[in-house]
Amino acid sequence: QVQLVESGGGLVQAGGSLRLACAASGRTFSRDTMGWFRQAPAKEREFIAAISWYADITDYADSVKGRFTISRDNAKNTVYLQMDSLKLEDTAVYYCAAAPALSDRVYFSNRSSYTYWGQGTQVTVSS
């Protein structure tokens, strides 16, 4: 059974930091591009960041560039999202996703590129 399980969400003050983790199981994810998306209430799910198989290619949404960092540890089948300088507008449910054999950075931000999704973890930024 393929599973992506996010952790590390919570309540943090504006300007603070959180580190999300996504543990994958049920298949080998080392050949997948891994992505993070988020969905705020009454809004569509939006792309945040993605990282290629060998971690040599990353992509970020403009809204988080310079504040968030995506990384992965293939030996642990885990992908991370370090979130710094958090803002109120970063409040959302954060989802990780896996895109098997995706290598073209052009498609990293497309939701339809991703086959496997986690259940999400809530991040709430307070003032």
Side-chain angles (χ1 to χ4, degrees):
Q1 181 183 359
V2 175
Q3 274 193 315
L4 298 176
V5 179
E6 301 94 338
S7 62
L11 176 65
V12 63
Q13 284 193 322
S17 298
L18 280 176
R19 188 192 195 205
L20 305 184
C22 172
S25 62
R27 58 183 292 276
T28 300
F29 287 84
S30 59
R31 293 278 183 171
D32 296 358
T33 286
M34 301 297 293
W36 285 96
F37 291 74
R38 70 185 180 190
Q39 188 167 16
K43 291 190 176 181
E44 296 215 348
R45 193 171 298 189
E46 64 172 348
F47 169 76
I48 296 301
I51 187 167
S52 63
W53 305 350
Y54 297 113
D56 57 339
I57 303 172
T58 57
D59 193 18
Y60 294 92
D62 288 342
S63 59
V64 305
K65 206 169 290 184
R67 300 189 298 122
F68 290 11
T69 304
I70 189 170
S71 62
R72 68 189 294 166
D73 184 338
N74 286 340
K76 295 182 178 180
N77 254 5
T78 301
V79 62
Y80 304 95
L81 185 68
Q82 177 66 41
M83 305 187 296
D84 298 318
S85 302
L86 282 162
K87 304 177 180 179
L88 296 179
E89 53 264 41
D90 294 320
T91 295
V93 178
Y94 283 71
Y95 300 89
C96 74
L102 174 64
S103 59
D104 192 340
R105 185 175 180 268
V106 169
Y107 301 105
F108 280 14
S109 61
N110 291 2
R111 285 172 54 186
S112 60
S113 298
Y114 296 82
T115 302
Y116 304 102
W117 291 83
Q119 293 300 305
T121 185
Q122 176 71 45
V123 171
T124 303
V125 183
S126 65
S127 58

